[in-house]
């Protein structure tokens, strides 16, 4: 009793979906049930139920009902294959003629093409290896398959989600109501697309609206009454009287304003008298220095006869504070002295398109313009850096490279370079 109640709705759906599937058209397919139960319907007299591990070969138009949790594989030798997970409901047959379909591109399909009608599916993998075939999906969506692999997944919020795993791009057509036309959609390999049923457009009801019988004011009415409006119009505008400025007393000076205040007591003039005689008697004060006289110790020596030798003059090196250090071009990578600019702890070659910036803490940034700049040298204490156009370098307060970007070549310094300010 329970089994008959369960199969009744399935048979009703199957028979209603097979209006054109009563005549066999020679299309061959082989079914393999891997899990669960599958019901195969070809006509009123050819119905069979397959269970796990069973297979069946069918010809012509066939309808398939896959129960929940079931898995079945359908193969069309040399043409295509389909892998379905239930619950699912679908059928297939040979491609109909042009008069039985509303797709314009069906005339390009081969006579041996297959037309699949997928009514519902949880998971469905379709692989086409040869020929051009028609795929009808829920929501009035259709596509022409010509080589490739497509996966269809059922959604709770819409008909299906289509993913093209491999092959040519899949072009989808909507064949619903003519008043709700939609342009074709293209799904490229590796892409997903959710097929939603187009929503109904709003119908224009302006033709059924009641015509205006009298003119209407579009703005809202005034919030005050007629009496309040009359009282406001009769109100005389008044202004508050401003406070007058205080008058000046007759004794007050006309050049003195009220904000000026005199000083009390008045400042008396101080006169300084110089006495020439007292100034002449004063002697200049000379600061006294505490001079310590040191006496060298007396050493008694006995002179011995020494052979006469030529006396060598004693030359003492006297330090010269203003004497400069010589410029050695090889130590500065043959960069001329007038092209060297001191920039904190580093020395930068003056070239077009080179900019230097100073940051907090003594850091220096050197930027070489990508288009207008030219290669430049930056000399540190023990490293030489060659900056190419488009590069940026940041040096710390000791002249060490801490951050760089772009093409920068770093070499060891040549020789001991003195401070740039001491080179003459």
């Amino acid at each position: 009793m329970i089994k008959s109640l369960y199969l009744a709705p399935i048979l009703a759906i199957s028979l209603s979906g097979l209006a054109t599937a009563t005549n066999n058209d020679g299309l061959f397919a082989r079914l393999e049930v891997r899990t669960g139960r599958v019901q195969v319907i070809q006509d009123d007299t050819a119905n069979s139920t397959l269970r796990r591990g069973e297979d069946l070969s069918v010809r012509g138009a066939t309808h398939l009902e896959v129960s929940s949790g079931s898995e079945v594989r359908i193969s069309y030798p040399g043409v295509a294959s389909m892998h379905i997970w239930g619950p699912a409901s679908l059928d297939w047959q040979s491609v109909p003629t042009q008069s039985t379909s509303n797709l314009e591109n069906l005339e390009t399909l081969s006579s041996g093409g297959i037309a699949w009608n997928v009514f519902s599916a949880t998971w469905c993998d379709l692989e086409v290896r040869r020929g051009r075939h028609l795929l009808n999906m829920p929501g009035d969506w259709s596509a022409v398959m010509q080589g490739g692999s497509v996966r269809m997944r059922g959604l709770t919020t819409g008909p299906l989600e289509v993913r093209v795993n491999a092959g040519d791009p899949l072009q989808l057509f909507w064949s619903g109501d003519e008043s709700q036309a939609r342009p074709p959609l293209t799904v490229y390999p590796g892409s997903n697309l959710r097929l939603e049923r187009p929503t109904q457009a709003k119908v224009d009801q302006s033709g059924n609206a009641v015509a205006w019988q009298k003119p209407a004011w579009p703005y809202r009415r005034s919030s005050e009454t007629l009496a309040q409006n009359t009282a406001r119009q009769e109100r005389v505008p008044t202004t508050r009287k401003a406070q007058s400025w205080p008058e000046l007393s007759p004794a007050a000076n006309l050049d003195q304003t009220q904000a000026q205040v005199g000083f009390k007591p008045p400042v008396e003039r101080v006169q300084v008298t110089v006495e020439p005689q007292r100034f002449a008697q004063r002697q200049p004060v000379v600061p006294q220095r505490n001079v310590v006289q040191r006496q060298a110790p007396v050493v008694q020596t006995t002179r011995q006869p020494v052979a006469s030798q030529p006396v060598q003059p004693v030359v003492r090196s006297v330090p010269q504070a203003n004497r400069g250090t010589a410029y050695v071009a090889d130590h500065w990578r043959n960069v001329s002295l007038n092209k060297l600019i001191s920039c904190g702890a580093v020395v930068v070659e003056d070239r077009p398109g080179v900019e230097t910036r100073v940051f907090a803490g003594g850091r220096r940034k050197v930027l070489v313009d990508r288009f207008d700049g030219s290669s430049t040298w930056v000399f540190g204490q023990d490293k030489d850096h060659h900056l190419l156009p488009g590069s940026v370098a940041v040096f710390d307060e000791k002249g060490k490279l801490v951050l760089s970007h772009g093409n920068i070549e770093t070499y060891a310094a040549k020789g001991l370079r003195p401070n740039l300010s001491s080179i003459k």
Side-chain angles (χ1 to χ4, degrees):
M1 181 64 181
I2 297 176
K3 183 176 179 181
S4 61
L5 292 177
Y6 177 77
L7 294 178
I10 297 178
L11 293 174
I13 297 175
S14 303
L15 295 176
S16 62
L18 286 178
T20 61
T22 56
N23 297 324
N24 292 339
D25 51 12
L27 179 61
F28 177 80
R30 183 171 182 81
L31 285 70
E32 299 177 5
V33 179
R34 299 186 176 181
T35 305
R37 183 181 69 255
V38 177
Q39 187 175 8
V40 182
I41 305 172
Q42 288 191 299
D43 52 34
D44 296 341
T45 59
N47 298 331
S48 59
T49 301
L50 303 180
R51 300 184 183 276
R52 177 180 179 181
E54 298 180 350
D55 53 31
L56 178 66
S57 298
V58 295
R59 287 185 177 275
T62 306
H63 185 91
L64 213 64
E65 289 291 336
V66 184
S67 61
S68 178
S70 301
E71 179 183 356
V72 60
R73 186 179 185 274
I74 309 171
S75 60
Y76 308 87
V79 179
S81 63
M82 182 177 287
H83 203 172
I84 305 171
W85 288 264
S89 176
L90 72 155
D91 64 27
W92 62 87
Q93 58 184 339
S94 296
V95 173
T97 60
Q98 177 70 14
S99 60
T100 60
S101 177
N102 55 0
L103 289 181
E104 298 179 357
N105 54 2
L106 278 181
E107 59 185 2
T108 62
L109 300 179
S110 60
S111 59
I114 306 173
W116 290 283
N117 298 313
V118 179
F119 305 108
S120 64
T122 303
W123 288 90
C124 181
D125 288 341
L126 175 61
E127 179 190 6
V128 175
R129 294 185 294 273
R130 183 184 302 172
R132 292 171 60 87
H133 312 277
L134 177 63
L135 175 62
N136 296 320
M137 292 169 286
D140 298 327
W141 290 99
S142 302
V144 176
M145 294 287 297
Q146 182 182 2
S149 175
V150 176
R151 163 164 288 189
M152 293 170 283
R153 181 172 70 93
L155 301 175
T156 58
T157 59
L160 284 176
E161 180 185 48
V162 178
R163 174 180 176 83
V164 179
N165 296 323
D168 298 332
L170 183 66
Q171 193 169 21
L172 303 175
F173 304 90
W174 191 73
S175 56
D177 188 4
E178 295 180 356
S179 63
Q180 305 291 329
R182 293 294 184 272
L185 301 178
T186 303
V187 186
Y188 294 92
S191 302
N192 297 29
L193 180 63
R194 290 194 173 190
L195 301 180
E196 302 289 347
R197 187 184 300 273
T199 58
Q200 296 292 334
K202 295 182 179 180
V203 181
D204 185 10
Q205 300 291 344
S206 59
N208 301 330
V210 180
W212 285 359
Q213 302 297 333
K214 58 181 179 179
W217 182 250
Y219 306 103
R220 68 185 184 91
R221 299 179 180 275
S222 177
S223 59
E224 60 183 7
T225 61
L226 181 60
Q228 292 175 345
N229 189 6
T230 304
R232 181 171 55 81
Q233 296 294 335
E234 295 178 353
R235 189 181 306 159
V236 179
T238 58
T239 57
R240 189 181 62 178
K241 184 178 181 181
Q243 185 178 2
S244 60
W245 289 91
E247 297 181 358
L248 300 176
S249 59
N253 190 1
L254 296 178
D255 295 335
Q256 182 180 7
T257 62
Q258 296 292 330
Q260 296 178 348
V261 180
F263 294 95
K264 293 182 180 181
V267 180
E268 297 181 358
R269 181 177 298 178
V270 180
Q271 184 176 4
V272 180
T273 304
V274 181
E275 297 181 3
Q277 296 181 356
R278 291 185 58 186
F279 182 76
Q281 292 177 359
R282 297 181 61 183
Q283 299 295 333
V285 180
V286 180
Q288 299 293 334
R289 290 185 178 181
N290 296 329
V291 181
V292 180
Q293 297 181 358
R294 297 181 179 179
Q295 185 176 3
V298 179
V299 180
Q300 296 181 0
T301 60
T302 305
R303 293 187 178 183
Q304 300 294 335
V306 182
S308 61
Q309 297 179 357
V311 180
Q312 298 293 336
V314 179
V315 180
R316 297 181 179 180
S317 59
V318 180
Q320 299 181 3
N322 298 329
R323 184 177 180 181
T325 307
Y327 165 73
V328 181
D330 185 57
H331 293 175
W332 298 94
R333 305 286 177 176
N334 295 324
V335 179
S336 58
L337 182 60
N338 58 353
K339 291 290 185 179
L340 299 176
I341 300 177
S342 179
C343 185
V346 296
V347 177
V348 182
E349 181 184 2
D350 185 13
R351 296 297 297 272
V354 179
E355 180 184 358
T356 58
R357 298 178 183 176
V358 182
F359 293 91
R363 289 193 172 190
R364 301 294 195 278
K365 177 186 284 189
V366 182
L367 304 93
V368 183
D369 191 86
R370 182 183 300 273
F371 304 101
D372 300 334
S374 55
S375 303
T376 183
W377 283 97
V378 178
F379 303 97
Q381 294 183 355
D382 55 354
K383 298 288 184 180
D384 296 344
H385 309 280
H386 193 215
L387 278 64
L388 300 181
S391 58
V392 180
V394 179
F395 302 89
D396 60 5
E397 65 278 2
K398 296 182 180 180
K400 182 180 178 181
L401 181 64
V402 296
L403 185 64
S404 64
H405 172 74
N407 296 328
I408 298 179
E409 302 172 353
T410 303
Y411 306 93
K414 288 188 174 182
L416 298 177
R417 290 192 292 263
N419 191 3
L420 186 62
S421 60
S422 62
I423 300 178
K424 301 297 181 180

